Amino acid sequence: MYGIKLGCGHMYCGQDAVKALADLPGERKRAYIVMSGTIQQELGQLKMVTDVLEGAGFTCRFYTDVEPEPSFQTVLKGAADMADFAPDWVIGFGGGSAMDAAKAMWVFYENPEYKELEDVMPPNEIKDLRVKARLCCIPTSAGTGSEATRAALIKDTVKKKKYSIRCMKGRLVPDVAVLDPIFTTTMPKSLTASSGMDALTHAIESYVTPKANPYSDAMAMASFRYGYENLAECYEHGDNLEARANMLAASCMGGIAFSNCALGIVHSIAHTFGAEYGVPHGLANAIVLPYGIRFNQENPETAKRYRELAALVGETDLLEAVMKLRRRINVPETMSEVVKDEADVMSKLDALVDKAFADVCTPFTPRMPSREEMRSLILEVYHGACR
């Protein structure tokens, strides 16, 4: 295990990093653990966490009703239960959905006067944080990097739209992150693949956004290299702790990268299919990524940046490298393999285009599509063009 100081927080990485939970400070010693379902309990992973916490004098309560795409209704429900328990630590334990839900619940727990998502959306600034509790995140998948980001992605199930709750001052970045590879070894192959491709998408998109800078570049480059070189090994040999630790590092560095610049239209389209059809975020990014690369590389500067990333892993063409990796880890080639109702997609095509343009990531893409280009790109993602 090794520790890293990051801003105002601490990150503990490597085997047995979970033991660092024993050092969490607090007067009340009450930990509220947010999870997506009961899988962590069933695998015995929750006990690994609570054994350390309870050994340090903590009382724990669990919340397990977070959906794969966390909803605002779930956030309010969790925040109310949190208020009843009055924790001084909120712990997001799981994939990106659990960590994002924990962040959002924490916001509404700290600010009970807030009742709507719009209350915490920019340009509104979140009023109180760390008055009642601090935040810890423990990822069990290597993809979102939410343990190091200043945002939480929450779905409005009525409007079928995703919102990014974020604090531009960085106050939503967790106080503590625990990156222990033991928690990722039980991921099924499909989740290893999709979450890993999510991390690679973060690295690639943050490297080519116009907001990129020397510091985000450094994180994006390292994220891409560690991710590309370790994802297939994690997929094929899931018990390889070194590869799993490297993927967690790739995911975390990708999160740091895009938190300090931005993302682009791969995320815009992935968010759109996730909000409308419930496609898990990592899987959506995995499918959309090559189509986004192919569209963006028409920009000469972006094409140059893509070649730089490819060279980091001994390749010459980033699109070919991504396609080769996707085939090796069995990522679906098209969105139609996941969203099978073609008639419904075609009937909603204009609305999907509208949502993609309205997405928070679209303004930062390196090549801004016209409306017709966005429409064509969504159709390519759905029917297939990168073969």
Side-chain angles (χ1 to χ4, degrees), residues 89-304:
W89 278 95
V90 175
I91 299 177
F93 182 37
S97 58
M99 291 187 285
D100 282 2
K103 288 181 179 180
M105 290 175 187
W106 178 48
V107 168
F108 283 86
Y109 166 58
E110 293 270 2
N111 301 276
E113 68 274 21
Y114 294 158
K115 305 299 180 186
E116 302 293 339
L117 265 174
E118 286 73 14
D119 293 336
V120 296
M121 295 299 298
N124 295 332
E125 193 62 59
I126 297 168
K127 188 181 124 191
D128 288 332
L129 287 174
R130 296 180 177 84
V131 175
K132 299 177 182 178
R134 280 175 279 185
L135 178 69
C136 170
C137 282
I138 310 172
T140 62
S141 63
T144 68
S146 188
E147 69 278 1
T149 70
R150 61 188 180 194
L153 204 60
I154 303 300
K155 181 176 179 178
D156 184 323
T157 55
V158 177
K159 296 179 181 178
K160 291 189 176 181
K161 184 177 178 181
K162 285 190 173 182
Y163 291 88
S164 178
I165 298 175
R166 61 194 189 277
C167 176
M168 302 313 291
K169 296 178 181 178
R171 293 185 300 147
L172 268 181
V173 176
D175 299 274
V176 172
V178 176
L179 279 64
D180 195 321
I182 194 65
F183 294 129
T184 66
T185 58
T186 54
M187 278 196 294
K189 281 190 168 187
S190 60
L191 182 56
T192 295
S194 61
S195 61
M197 289 300 297
D198 189 21
L200 286 176
T201 304
H202 293 155
I204 293 168
E205 287 210 293
S206 62
Y207 192 66
V208 300
T209 174
K211 290 283 189 178
N213 57 74
Y215 301 95
S216 65
D217 280 355
M219 285 293 173
M221 293 168 75
S223 172
F224 179 74
R225 180 183 171 189
Y226 274 87
Y228 190 88
E229 292 180 346
N230 287 276
L231 178 52
E233 174 65 20
C234 290
Y235 181 83
E236 294 166 355
H237 303 99
D239 59 350
N240 185 329
L241 286 176
E242 181 179 1
R244 290 290 193 183
N246 286 339
M247 273 309 304
L248 277 171
S251 173
C252 186
M253 289 187 290
I256 295 171
F258 80 74
S259 288
N260 287 281
C261 52
L263 295 166
I265 56 171
V266 173
H267 270 74
S268 304
I269 296 173
H271 289 160
T272 297
F273 276 98
E276 186 66 35
Y277 295 105
V279 181
H281 179 65
L283 177 59
N285 270 331
I287 294 171
V288 178
L289 179 58
Y291 301 98
I293 292 174
R294 194 171 74 160
F295 177 81
N296 284 327
Q297 68 186 6
E298 294 300 315
N299 179 314
E301 177 59 27
T302 303
K304 174 178 173 289

Side-chain angles (χ1 to χ4, degrees), residues 336-351:
S336 62
E337 296 176 51
V338 179
V339 181
K340 299 185 182 296
D341 191 341
E342 181 179 358
D344 189 72
V345 173
M346 295 303 104
S347 71
K348 294 177 178 175
L349 186 57
D350 286 339

